[in-house]
Amino acid sequence: IVLLGTLDTKLPEILHLHSRLEALSSPNTSITLIDCGRSPVKHPAISITQDELVTKFGAENEKGSMKDLPRGEIIKFMIRCTTSCVKELHTKQPIHGIISAGGSGGTSLASAVMRVLPIGLPKLIASTVASGDTGPIVGETDVTLMYSVVDIAGTNELLRIVLNNAAAAMVGMSSAYEQQVQHQRDQKEEARRLRVGITMFGVTTPCVDKIREHLESNYAVETYVFHATGHGGKAMERLVSEGRLDAVLDLTTTEICDFLMGGNMSAGPNRLEAALEAGIPTIISLGATDMVNFGPKATVPEKYQQRKLFEPVSYTHLRA
């Protein structure tokens, strides 16, 4: 288990989380504490110090100017250093879980690092911002957020309970994940079903359900259905890039409409590219491309009303 912490500001809280991870884990569990704070901290529990992190993984032209960088730039710098470190750790000895606790800055840092690890590997952050807009934090991955209720500033009774729950959740998830990884290794390659990704939206659900039922009833196939909400398309393409899908039925390409028209469910400018680059069998269709999403309380943007791009009857297609 890897524990990330900005120890110059969160040392007591992260040390409490570290102690609970040790207490709840089995004896053969290794806890690696990485200090990714702005300033170096000394403590015997730290596995990789901030100085070691910056010295080994930081760019030479940035190391000397750290004290002069604004907070946002420091976070970006530490993200790059910590990401490189975690990637190296995972290559040398597979990580079975990664956890952190922090406020807005610490959550931004930890989540960016976590998103480079494979989908399925347990990722958990006890965070002060877990009850807000979590889309930018989670992205297309499976980061688990636990709201800290109180600020992570001092170890009061309530925070200790929350951190204990976070540690318990991570110990359980990482143990189960390690068992699952071992089980997958033991399975014979011939027994594995073909993995087919399918994109879906509300209006394409009947089509996708029919296809899914047909494929799974007649072939050695398991389907992965992705809700085409922006993050859904990114998640599918992330799995394609990781080699974890064998074919794609991209039936619902509505995310492209949001990208072109300024909707809030865009998957970015590179949507459709991953499967083609991977060279896996791919079918692309036009599901829900008569729709753009402007949020739960939004109306049709004025620029579209003025230009009269749609007849009034078509406004119902612009999902609220």
Side-chain angles (χ1 to χ4, degrees):
I1 298 174
V2 169
L3 171 59
L4 304 177
T6 54
L7 301 187
D8 55 343
T9 59
K10 307 294 183 191
L11 181 62
E13 300 87 344
I14 295 296
L15 288 179
H16 179 73
L17 188 52
H18 183 272
S19 69
R20 297 312 301 152
L21 287 168
E22 286 191 322
L24 295 166
S25 298
S26 61
N28 62 346
T29 300
S30 170
I31 312 296
T32 300
L33 173 55
I34 302 175
D35 179 10
C36 45
R38 178 171 192 151
S39 305
V41 171
K42 291 184 179 181
H43 193 279
I46 300 174
S47 308
I48 300 173
T49 66
Q50 190 265 10
D51 186 59
E52 291 171 332
L53 194 67
V54 170
T55 299
K56 184 173 182 179
F57 299 102
E60 288 297 330
N61 62 331
E62 292 178 299
K63 294 176 187 177
S65 60
M66 277 189 64
K67 62 180 184 299
D68 301 320
L69 292 175
R71 182 170 181 262
E73 293 304 310
I74 284 287
I75 290 175
K76 291 178 183 178
F77 174 68
M78 295 309 296
I79 285 173
R80 291 194 293 272
C81 294
T82 312
T83 296
S84 298
C85 177
V86 168
K87 282 181 176 179
E88 183 178 275
L89 289 175
H90 190 52
T91 300
K92 290 181 177 179
Q93 182 178 2
I95 296 168
H96 297 108
I98 184 167
I99 183 171
S100 185
S104 57
T107 298
S108 175
L109 192 160
S111 62
V113 175
M114 292 179 182
R115 288 196 297 270
V116 305
L117 290 168
I119 291 176
L121 190 154
K123 314 164 184 70
L124 189 151
I125 308 174
S127 171
T128 60
V129 295
S131 65
D133 178 10
T134 59
I137 299 171
V138 176
E140 76 284 4
T141 63
D142 54 343
V143 174
T144 300
L145 297 175
M146 180 179 289
Y147 184 42
S148 62
V149 184
V150 293
D151 202 348
I152 301 176
T155 52
N156 55 67
E157 181 183 6
L158 178 55
L159 183 59
R160 285 194 294 270
I161 291 172
V162 172
L163 294 179
N164 182 72
N165 290 342
M170 175 49 57
V171 168
M173 287 193 292
S174 60
S175 176
Y177 177 72
E178 192 273 338
Q179 293 174 23
Q180 181 65 28
V181 169
Q182 186 60 48
H183 174 70
Q184 290 173 340
R185 288 199 196 103
D186 295 341
Q187 277 187 323
K188 293 183 178 179
E189 184 67 25
E190 307 85 60
R192 185 175 66 79
R193 290 173 170 263
L194 288 174
R195 303 158 298 182
V196 178
I198 309 178
T199 49
M200 184 176 78
F201 215 54
V203 294
T204 61
T205 298
C207 171
V208 172
D209 284 346
K210 195 72 174 177
I211 290 172
R212 180 170 54 83
E213 179 184 350
H214 176 78
L215 288 176
E216 294 183 346
S217 299
N218 294 282
Y219 306 98
V221 164
E222 62 177 2
T223 56
Y224 296 65
V225 179
F226 298 88
H227 200 183
T229 57
H231 292 306
K234 289 179 180 178
M236 183 185 73
E237 299 203 328
R238 165 79 175 260
L239 288 174
V240 168
S241 299
E242 291 180 0
R244 297 171 66 180
L245 289 177
D246 302 304
V248 168
L249 293 176
D250 208 343
L251 304 178
T252 311
T253 44
T254 184
E255 291 157 320
I256 295 172
C257 297
D258 282 65
F259 172 69
L260 294 175
M261 309 296 281
N264 65 351
M265 290 189 178
S266 167
N270 303 116
R271 183 70 173 83
L272 300 179
E273 294 180 8
L276 303 181
E277 289 176 354
I280 62 176
T282 303
I283 295 174
I284 300 171
S285 189
L286 304 173
T289 50
D290 58 342
M291 298 182 179
V292 181
N293 301 274
F294 293 114
K297 296 181 180 180
T299 58
V300 179
E302 186 178 355
K303 62 180 178 179
Y304 297 137
Q305 294 182 29
Q306 291 176 341
R307 292 174 63 186
K308 296 182 180 179
L309 295 182
F310 306 103
E311 292 298 323
V313 69
S314 298
Y315 286 154
T316 57
H317 290 180
L318 295 162
R319 295 170 60 86

